[in-house]
Every structure is written in structure tokens, then in C-alpha cells.
Amino acid sequence: MTDLLAPVAASSLAEQARAALGKRNLVFVGLMGAGKSVIGKMVAQALSIPFVDTDGEIEKVSRMTIAELFASYGEPEFRALEARVIDRLLKGGPRVISTGGGAFINDNTRRLIKQGGISVWLKADLDVLWERVNKRDHRPLLKTENPKATLENLMNHRYPIYAEADLTVYSGNVRKETMVTNVLSAVVELAEKGQGK
Ligand SMILES: Nc1ncnc2c1ncn2[C@@H]1O[C@H](COP(=O)(O)OP(=O)(O)OP(=O)(O)O)[C@@H](O)[C@H]1O
Ligand SMILES: O=C(O)C1=C[C@@H](O)[C@@H](O)[C@H](O)C1
Ligand SMILES: [Mg+2]
């Protein structure tokens, strides 16, 4: 009997989260490998609202890969373009927006996100992140002699800033579906606390 009831409970959580969100965007932030793209897309499906990944959108508008953008124009230009793209995307809510790892660290972009949506930090430990990112080598910031140490330095610098997000959801070695449930529950809880902005 419990199994038969489970899908009803799951769909009502998504409905509650969707109602709590209203016209606002749900914006995923966090370090490379935290799961912003993959979990963001699944959360958007659960909420039946559009999903957009800012790295993908930047690559689309520039017709270049992120690695090419960094190589040709440098990080400051990339951050300026990222801020413009995010500003535009935030204006079309409700959406789930998964940002690149450095977006929320940029003061201008963080201010835009705080104004334009509910932010969710997917927080993960170094070993979990490393396990996920070391399988591919397309991330320009990790093209260093010791990429794991670079990732750790980024964590030390960025975690206090990601902590400014409205919600923090721990992204450990749990199933992706569990992550989706945890995110939806956090959105509902935020609204229940009356802090849903
Ligand atoms: N909970 C999870 N369980 C298993 N694998 C996961 C989980 N979350 C993410 N992954 C995997 O980790 C990898 C990195 O995830 P993803 O690309 O979503 O990270 P990201 O936060 O978007 O990183 P980036 O900032 O580089 O875009 C992917 O292969 C994804 O399938
Ligand atoms: O953490 C970062 O600063 C980055 C993460 C990626 O998502 C890309 O946005 C880019 O590689 C920079
Ligand atoms: Mg991503």
C-alpha cells in the first residue's frame, strides 16, 4: 500500500514547490561538479517549468566554447558576458537557471541573482567534487599542475560566498532523485518559514 501512495506524495511535493516559487526563478549555484546542471534540469522537469544552463546559453550566444572564450578573451570578459546573459535570463521567470561555478562569486552577478530569484547552493565535499570533475578536462580553471589543489583553493575562497544563497542543499553521494526531493523540500520549507522573498 505504501508503494502505491508514494507517487502521489512525490507529485504533491513538486506542486507545493511550484506554488511556492510563483513567478520567481530558482537559481542553482555552487562549485564545478556540484550537480547544478544535472539536478537543475531534473528539478525543472519536476516543476514543469523551463530549464536553462548559463554556460550552455553563453556558448550558444557567443558560438564559442567556454574554454575558447577564456582563451581568446580572458576571464574578466567571460564574467561580463556571463552577467549580461544571467540578467536577461532572470527577467523571463519562472525558470530553473543553473549557473556556471563562478557566477555567484562575481559581485554584480550575485546581486542580480539575489534580486531575481531564489538561490540554491549545492554544497559538496572536495572528494565528491573531484570524483565528478576529474573525468573530463574541459574546465579552463582546472587546467593547472594540481587541479585537485586548485579545486580546494576555490572551495576555500568561494564557500563563504556561496553560503549567502537563500538555500543550501548538501550534494553528497546520494541518488539524483533524492537530490531533487531535497531541493523541492527546501523550497517548500523556505516558503513556509515566510522567507520566500
Ligand atoms: N547526486 C549525484 N549522483 C551522481 N552523480 C552526480 C550527482 N550530481 C551530479 N552528478 C554527476 O556529476 C557530474 C557533474 O555534474 P554537473 O555537470 O551537473 O555539475 P555542475 O555543477 O553543473 O558543474 P559545472 O559548474 O562545471 O557546470 C555529472 O557527470 C553528473 O551526472
Ligand atoms: O567555477 C568557475 O569559475 C567556472 C565554472 C564553469 O561552470 C564555467 O562557467 C567556467 O569554466 C568557470
Ligand atoms: Mg554545469
Side-chain angles (χ1 to χ4, degrees):
M1 267 326 245
T2 319
D3 279 356
L4 285 174
L5 290 174
V8 176
S11 86
S12 88
L13 175 64
E15 281 165 16
Q16 285 175 56
R18 176 69 192 85
L21 202 58
K23 289 184 178 164
R24 291 166 300 182
N25 299 288
L26 191 61
V27 186
F28 283 88
V29 305
L31 215 50
M32 294 170 264
K36 303 178 296 294
S37 300
V38 74
I39 305 301
K41 190 170 190 180
M42 290 171 71
V43 167
Q45 275 163 0
L47 293 171
S48 302
I49 60 174
F51 168 76
V52 64
D53 190 280
T54 65
D55 283 340
E57 189 69 13
I58 290 166
E59 292 188 335
K60 200 166 94 184
V61 299
S62 67
R63 296 191 198 157
M64 294 173 88
T65 65
I66 303 285
E68 286 166 351
L69 280 168
F70 266 74
S72 303
Y73 299 106
E75 186 171 348
E77 272 301 311
F78 171 78
R79 295 298 170 203
L81 175 58
E82 183 175 55
R84 286 201 298 279
V85 166
I86 290 176
D87 190 24
R88 172 171 60 77
L89 293 174
L90 285 165
K91 288 178 177 144
R95 275 193 180 111
V96 173
I97 303 175
S98 290
T99 61
F104 200 65
I105 306 307
N106 180 279
D107 291 342
N108 183 28
T109 308
R110 187 167 65 258
R111 184 180 48 77
L112 293 169
I113 293 172
K114 285 182 176 181
Q115 286 167 357
I118 295 178
S119 47
V120 188
W121 173 26
L122 294 186
K123 182 178 184 182
D125 294 338
L126 178 63
D127 286 335
V128 169
L129 294 174
W130 177 243
E131 179 65 26
R132 292 179 187 162
V133 300
N134 78 4
K135 294 184 183 121
R136 294 184 61 194
D137 69 346
H138 65 293
R139 294 170 168 97
L141 290 184
L142 296 184
K143 287 192 188 298
T144 60
E145 268 188 22
N146 186 346
K148 189 172 180 186
T150 305
L151 194 59
E152 189 170 19
N153 287 339
L154 284 172
M155 278 180 83
N156 291 338
H157 168 234
R158 291 180 173 184
Y159 272 29
I161 303 173
Y162 292 137
E164 292 180 32
D166 296 310
L167 298 168
T168 299
V169 176
Y170 187 68
S171 174
N173 275 325
V174 294
R175 295 177 67 234
K176 292 172 190 170
E177 291 74 14
T178 307
M179 285 299 302
V180 172
T181 303
N182 292 348
V183 169
L184 296 177
S185 302
V187 170
V188 172
E189 268 172 41
L190 185 74
E192 281 170 356
K193 275 195 251 155
Q195 292 171 12
K197 291 199 273 187

